[in-house]
Amino acid sequence: MTRLAMHDNLLAVYPEILKRLEMVKEIKAIKEVGDLAELMASRAKEGGKAKIAPFDGAVYVVYGGDEVSDQAHKGKQIKHTLYFTFVLCRYYRAHQRSTLHEVGAVLTAIQAALAGWDAGKEFASSSFWRVPSPRIEYNDGYAFYPIAFAVDVITSV
């Protein structure tokens, strides 16, 4: 049996996701979970008010964990379903024009890029599919709009 990248690295598909998102012209910037963690940490230190501002129009890529969905060869091959959430950050202010129309266009562009996308047999054993998203969050004049996907991978030991 040929060893594939996903056999040795549960998250081998992650760099491919980042490359795929770079092709979505509606996204202003792609940020990783460390950037989001830094935002949340600065908020906690400042008593609920963020010292670091989110990047308006950025999409934060968040790995949400996995579920073991199947095993074979006496547990030596494990099929995992991985969950990823892509969080679009947009600035908003009361009494100003809503940006929901633009938000919808960006979320739809992300969905078009990822729903049904096959990252390649080296990295995933299925195409990406939509799953329920977490709730929208509103903090310090920013709204965080999540859209979530899942994909299957197989690891071997």
Side-chain angles (χ1 to χ4, degrees):
M1 181 175 130
T2 304
R3 291 213 49 98
L4 304 174
M6 68 175 157
H7 292 162
D8 297 318
N9 184 340
L10 179 70
L11 295 172
V13 72
Y14 183 74
E16 302 305 307
I17 293 169
L18 297 177
K19 289 179 201 170
R20 184 73 173 181
L21 288 176
E22 287 173 3
M23 298 181 345
V24 180
K25 65 179 175 35
E26 292 84 354
I27 297 174
K28 292 182 182 176
I30 300 165
K31 303 285 187 176
E32 296 187 60
V33 73
D35 299 307
L36 190 58
E38 186 177 7
L39 279 173
M40 297 306 152
S42 80
R43 180 179 319 283
K45 288 178 187 174
E46 298 299 319
K49 185 84 171 155
K51 188 173 186 175
I52 300 169
F55 188 101
D56 184 38
V59 170
Y60 294 86
V61 181
V62 181
Y63 169 60
D66 75 301
E67 289 181 18
V68 172
S69 51
D70 201 4
Q71 296 185 43
H73 304 285
K74 297 182 182 177
K76 293 196 181 279
Q77 278 197 325
I78 302 171
K79 181 179 175 185
H80 306 261
T81 300
L82 308 181
Y83 296 94
F84 292 93
T85 301
F86 306 91
V87 184
L88 172 63
C89 173
R90 285 305 310 260
Y91 180 75
Y92 73 92
R93 277 291 177 241
H95 311 298
Q96 290 185 354
R97 186 180 71 80
S98 171
T99 61
L100 277 179
H101 188 264
E102 292 87 357
V103 166
V106 176
L107 293 177
T108 301
I110 293 169
Q111 181 171 273
L114 293 175
W117 173 55
D118 182 351
K121 71 176 188 171
E122 182 77 14
F123 306 105
S125 61
S126 75
S127 299
F128 280 72
W129 71 90
R130 285 276 283 126
V131 294
S133 299
R135 293 183 174 271
I136 297 168
E137 294 280 333
Y138 299 92
N139 289 298
D140 294 334
Y142 288 89
F144 297 90
Y145 301 95
I147 185 167
F149 293 85
V151 66
D152 288 332
V153 301
I154 298 170
T155 57
S156 295
V157 289

Short mmCIF file of all heavy atoms in Angstrom, two decimals, residues 13-24 27 30-33 59-62 84 86 114 117 128:
data_model
loop_
_atom_site.label_atom_id
_atom_site.label_comp_id
_atom_site.label_asym_id
_atom_site.label_seq_id
_atom_site.Cartn_x
_atom_site.Cartn_y
_atom_site.Cartn_z
N VAL A 13 -4.06 17.97 5.24
CA VAL A 13 -4.92 18.76 4.34
C VAL A 13 -4.89 20.26 4.69
O VAL A 13 -5.24 21.09 3.85
CB VAL A 13 -6.37 18.22 4.37
CG1 VAL A 13 -7.08 18.53 5.68
CG2 VAL A 13 -7.16 18.74 3.18
N TYR A 14 -4.45 20.62 5.88
CA TYR A 14 -4.52 22.02 6.33
C TYR A 14 -3.81 23.01 5.39
O TYR A 14 -4.41 24.01 5.00
CB TYR A 14 -4.00 22.14 7.76
CG TYR A 14 -4.11 23.53 8.32
CD1 TYR A 14 -5.34 24.06 8.69
CD2 TYR A 14 -2.99 24.34 8.46
CE1 TYR A 14 -5.45 25.34 9.19
CE2 TYR A 14 -3.09 25.63 8.95
CZ TYR A 14 -4.32 26.12 9.31
OH TYR A 14 -4.43 27.40 9.80
N PRO A 15 -2.56 22.76 4.98
CA PRO A 15 -1.92 23.71 4.05
C PRO A 15 -2.68 23.82 2.72
O PRO A 15 -2.70 24.89 2.10
CB PRO A 15 -0.52 23.14 3.82
CG PRO A 15 -0.27 22.26 5.01
CD PRO A 15 -1.61 21.73 5.40
N GLU A 16 -3.32 22.74 2.31
CA GLU A 16 -4.10 22.76 1.07
C GLU A 16 -5.33 23.66 1.21
O GLU A 16 -5.73 24.35 0.27
CB GLU A 16 -4.52 21.35 0.67
CG GLU A 16 -3.35 20.40 0.47
CD GLU A 16 -2.32 20.91 -0.52
OE1 GLU A 16 -2.70 21.26 -1.64
OE2 GLU A 16 -1.12 20.96 -0.14
N ILE A 17 -5.92 23.65 2.40
CA ILE A 17 -7.06 24.53 2.67
C ILE A 17 -6.63 25.99 2.55
O ILE A 17 -7.33 26.81 1.93
CB ILE A 17 -7.64 24.26 4.08
CG1 ILE A 17 -8.26 22.87 4.14
CG2 ILE A 17 -8.65 25.33 4.48
CD1 ILE A 17 -8.63 22.41 5.54
N LEU A 18 -5.49 26.33 3.15
CA LEU A 18 -5.00 27.71 3.08
C LEU A 18 -4.76 28.13 1.63
O LEU A 18 -5.13 29.24 1.23
CB LEU A 18 -3.73 27.87 3.91
CG LEU A 18 -3.86 27.63 5.41
CD1 LEU A 18 -2.52 27.76 6.10
CD2 LEU A 18 -4.90 28.56 6.03
N LYS A 19 -4.17 27.24 0.83
CA LYS A 19 -3.95 27.54 -0.59
C LYS A 19 -5.28 27.75 -1.31
O LYS A 19 -5.41 28.64 -2.16
CB LYS A 19 -3.18 26.40 -1.27
CG LYS A 19 -1.74 26.29 -0.88
CD LYS A 19 -1.11 25.11 -1.60
CE LYS A 19 0.14 24.64 -0.91
NZ LYS A 19 0.63 23.37 -1.46
N ARG A 20 -6.25 26.93 -0.99
CA ARG A 20 -7.57 27.04 -1.64
C ARG A 20 -8.21 28.38 -1.30
O ARG A 20 -8.79 29.05 -2.17
CB ARG A 20 -8.46 25.88 -1.19
CG ARG A 20 -9.80 25.82 -1.86
CD ARG A 20 -9.70 25.37 -3.28
NE ARG A 20 -11.03 25.18 -3.85
CZ ARG A 20 -11.24 24.76 -5.06
NH1 ARG A 20 -10.22 24.47 -5.86
NH2 ARG A 20 -12.45 24.61 -5.51
N LEU A 21 -8.13 28.80 -0.05
CA LEU A 21 -8.73 30.07 0.36
C LEU A 21 -8.04 31.26 -0.30
O LEU A 21 -8.68 32.28 -0.55
CB LEU A 21 -8.68 30.21 1.88
CG LEU A 21 -9.64 29.32 2.66
CD1 LEU A 21 -9.43 29.50 4.16
CD2 LEU A 21 -11.09 29.56 2.29
N GLU A 22 -6.74 31.14 -0.58
CA GLU A 22 -6.03 32.23 -1.26
C GLU A 22 -6.61 32.53 -2.63
O GLU A 22 -6.45 33.63 -3.15
CB GLU A 22 -4.54 31.87 -1.39
CG GLU A 22 -3.79 31.95 -0.08
CD GLU A 22 -2.36 31.43 -0.18
OE1 GLU A 22 -1.92 31.05 -1.29
OE2 GLU A 22 -1.69 31.38 0.87
N MET A 23 -7.33 31.58 -3.21
CA MET A 23 -7.94 31.77 -4.52
C MET A 23 -9.28 32.50 -4.44
O MET A 23 -9.83 32.89 -5.47
CB MET A 23 -8.12 30.42 -5.21
CG MET A 23 -6.79 29.72 -5.46
SD MET A 23 -6.82 28.11 -6.29
CE MET A 23 -8.46 27.54 -6.23
N VAL A 24 -9.80 32.71 -3.23
CA VAL A 24 -11.09 33.38 -3.06
C VAL A 24 -10.84 34.88 -3.00
O VAL A 24 -10.41 35.41 -1.98
CB VAL A 24 -11.82 32.88 -1.80
CG1 VAL A 24 -13.16 33.59 -1.63
CG2 VAL A 24 -12.01 31.37 -1.85
N ILE A 27 -11.96 37.41 -0.11
CA ILE A 27 -11.33 37.41 1.21
C ILE A 27 -10.19 38.42 1.20
O ILE A 27 -9.29 38.36 0.37
CB ILE A 27 -10.79 36.01 1.57
CG1 ILE A 27 -11.94 35.01 1.66
CG2 ILE A 27 -10.01 36.06 2.88
CD1 ILE A 27 -11.49 33.57 1.87
N ILE A 30 -6.21 36.08 5.07
CA ILE A 30 -6.43 34.78 5.70
C ILE A 30 -5.57 34.75 6.96
O ILE A 30 -4.37 34.95 6.91
CB ILE A 30 -6.04 33.63 4.76
CG1 ILE A 30 -6.89 33.69 3.49
CG2 ILE A 30 -6.18 32.28 5.46
CD1 ILE A 30 -6.37 32.86 2.36
N LYS A 31 -6.23 34.52 8.07
CA LYS A 31 -5.56 34.47 9.37
C LYS A 31 -5.74 33.09 9.96
O LYS A 31 -6.71 32.40 9.67
CB LYS A 31 -6.15 35.52 10.33
CG LYS A 31 -6.10 36.95 9.82
CD LYS A 31 -4.72 37.49 9.92
CE LYS A 31 -4.68 38.97 9.58
NZ LYS A 31 -3.38 39.54 9.76
N GLU A 32 -4.80 32.71 10.81
CA GLU A 32 -4.89 31.39 11.43
C GLU A 32 -5.35 31.52 12.87
O GLU A 32 -5.47 32.62 13.41
CB GLU A 32 -3.56 30.68 11.29
CG GLU A 32 -3.22 30.43 9.83
CD GLU A 32 -1.99 29.59 9.63
OE1 GLU A 32 -1.99 28.43 10.11
OE2 GLU A 32 -1.04 30.07 8.99
N VAL A 33 -5.58 30.39 13.50
CA VAL A 33 -6.17 30.37 14.83
C VAL A 33 -5.32 31.12 15.85
O VAL A 33 -5.84 31.71 16.79
CB VAL A 33 -6.49 28.92 15.28
CG1 VAL A 33 -5.22 28.17 15.62
CG2 VAL A 33 -7.48 28.92 16.42
N VAL A 59 -10.56 36.30 7.12
CA VAL A 59 -11.17 35.03 7.45
C VAL A 59 -10.18 34.27 8.33
O VAL A 59 -9.03 34.07 7.96
CB VAL A 59 -11.51 34.20 6.19
CG1 VAL A 59 -11.93 32.79 6.56
CG2 VAL A 59 -12.62 34.89 5.41
N TYR A 60 -10.64 33.91 9.52
CA TYR A 60 -9.83 33.15 10.48
C TYR A 60 -10.14 31.67 10.28
O TYR A 60 -11.30 31.26 10.28
CB TYR A 60 -10.15 33.59 11.91
CG TYR A 60 -9.74 35.01 12.18
CD1 TYR A 60 -10.57 36.08 11.89
CD2 TYR A 60 -8.49 35.30 12.72
CE1 TYR A 60 -10.18 37.40 12.12
CE2 TYR A 60 -8.08 36.60 12.96
CZ TYR A 60 -8.94 37.65 12.66
OH TYR A 60 -8.54 38.93 12.90
N VAL A 61 -9.10 30.86 10.11
CA VAL A 61 -9.25 29.42 9.88
C VAL A 61 -9.08 28.71 11.21
O VAL A 61 -8.04 28.82 11.86
CB VAL A 61 -8.20 28.92 8.86
CG1 VAL A 61 -8.38 27.42 8.62
CG2 VAL A 61 -8.29 29.71 7.56
N VAL A 62 -10.11 27.96 11.61
CA VAL A 62 -10.11 27.30 12.92
C VAL A 62 -10.35 25.80 12.73
O VAL A 62 -11.37 25.39 12.16
CB VAL A 62 -11.22 27.89 13.83
CG1 VAL A 62 -11.21 27.22 15.19
CG2 VAL A 62 -11.07 29.40 13.95
N PHE A 84 -13.61 22.00 10.25
CA PHE A 84 -12.97 23.31 10.11
C PHE A 84 -14.04 24.38 10.06
O PHE A 84 -15.06 24.21 9.38
CB PHE A 84 -12.13 23.38 8.83
CG PHE A 84 -10.92 22.50 8.85
CD1 PHE A 84 -10.98 21.21 8.33
CD2 PHE A 84 -9.73 22.96 9.39
CE1 PHE A 84 -9.86 20.39 8.35
CE2 PHE A 84 -8.61 22.14 9.42
CZ PHE A 84 -8.68 20.85 8.89
N PHE A 86 -14.50 28.54 9.26
CA PHE A 86 -13.89 29.71 8.65
C PHE A 86 -14.72 30.90 9.12
O PHE A 86 -15.92 30.96 8.89
CB PHE A 86 -13.90 29.57 7.13
CG PHE A 86 -13.25 28.28 6.71
CD1 PHE A 86 -13.99 27.12 6.56
CD2 PHE A 86 -11.88 28.21 6.54
CE1 PHE A 86 -13.39 25.92 6.22
CE2 PHE A 86 -11.26 27.02 6.21
CZ PHE A 86 -12.02 25.87 6.05
N LEU A 114 -15.11 25.60 -1.24
CA LEU A 114 -14.86 24.43 -0.40
C LEU A 114 -15.90 23.31 -0.52
O LEU A 114 -15.54 22.14 -0.43
CB LEU A 114 -14.72 24.84 1.05
CG LEU A 114 -13.48 25.70 1.36
CD1 LEU A 114 -13.50 26.16 2.81
CD2 LEU A 114 -12.21 24.94 1.06
N TRP A 117 -15.22 20.31 -2.74
CA TRP A 117 -13.82 20.38 -3.17
C TRP A 117 -13.07 19.12 -2.76
O TRP A 117 -13.15 18.67 -1.62
CB TRP A 117 -13.15 21.62 -2.58
CG TRP A 117 -11.68 21.70 -2.83
CD1 TRP A 117 -11.03 21.65 -4.03
CD2 TRP A 117 -10.65 21.84 -1.83
NE1 TRP A 117 -9.67 21.76 -3.85
CE2 TRP A 117 -9.41 21.88 -2.50
CE3 TRP A 117 -10.67 21.95 -0.45
CZ2 TRP A 117 -8.21 22.01 -1.84
CZ3 TRP A 117 -9.47 22.07 0.22
CH2 TRP A 117 -8.25 22.11 -0.47
N PHE A 128 -14.92 17.95 0.65
CA PHE A 128 -15.43 18.75 1.77
C PHE A 128 -16.95 18.87 1.66
O PHE A 128 -17.48 18.95 0.56
CB PHE A 128 -14.82 20.16 1.74
CG PHE A 128 -13.43 20.21 2.31
CD1 PHE A 128 -12.36 19.67 1.62
CD2 PHE A 128 -13.19 20.80 3.55
CE1 PHE A 128 -11.07 19.72 2.14
CE2 PHE A 128 -11.92 20.86 4.08
CZ PHE A 128 -10.85 20.31 3.37
#
